[in-house]
Amino acid sequence: MWLPVLGLLTGILIGLLTGVEIPPAYHVYILLLLLVMVDALFGALKETLKQSYSNILFLTGLFLSLLLAWGLAFLGRQLGVELYLAPLIALGIRIFQNTAVIRREILSLIRSDK
């Protein structure tokens, strides 16, 4: 579980220290990248709490979700349709679902300690 958190913190630190500006043409891709990373991080936390976390599942899920989201965004840009909204909505739903499961797992851990 420490690998995703370490990667996220390292990326945030590098981004804050370098001051690199991203061209507006790439904003959608960066948005999808951030949402995929947050979704993967919450999914990893959920699986850790359920004691079924796997690094290989985390990494393959992260890259496959990212490629699919970017592919839809690219295809939508070529067709002139805002297809990036499909992965945006799907990732948003998954983030909230994972948050609900994490909350339930933490509450069940707290209740079992009493």
Side-chain angles (χ1 to χ4, degrees), residues 14-107:
I14 290 171
L16 290 174
L17 293 177
T18 58
V20 174
E21 294 210 16
I22 300 165
Y26 297 118
H27 285 177
V28 169
Y29 299 107
I30 298 301
L31 168 68
L32 290 172
L33 171 69
L34 292 174
L35 279 176
V36 166
M37 290 172 58
V38 169
D39 174 54
L41 190 60
F42 281 0
L45 180 58
K46 176 186 79 170
E47 295 302 320
T48 299
L49 289 172
K50 289 184 170 186
Q51 297 177 345
S52 61
Y53 174 78
S54 168
N55 272 338
I56 192 72
L57 287 176
F58 171 76
L59 291 173
T60 56
L62 175 74
F63 289 118
L64 185 62
S65 295
L66 185 59
L67 287 174
L68 182 61
W70 278 353
L72 284 172
F74 179 75
L75 180 64
R77 184 166 287 197
Q78 298 303 312
L79 296 173
V81 180
E82 295 181 350
L83 261 180
Y84 72 91
L85 292 174
L88 185 104
I89 292 169
L91 289 168
I93 290 170
R94 283 179 41 152
I95 289 169
F96 282 106
Q97 286 174 341
N98 285 337
T99 304
V101 172
I102 290 168
R103 178 183 49 85
R104 283 192 293 271
E105 289 292 326
I106 289 174
L107 287 175

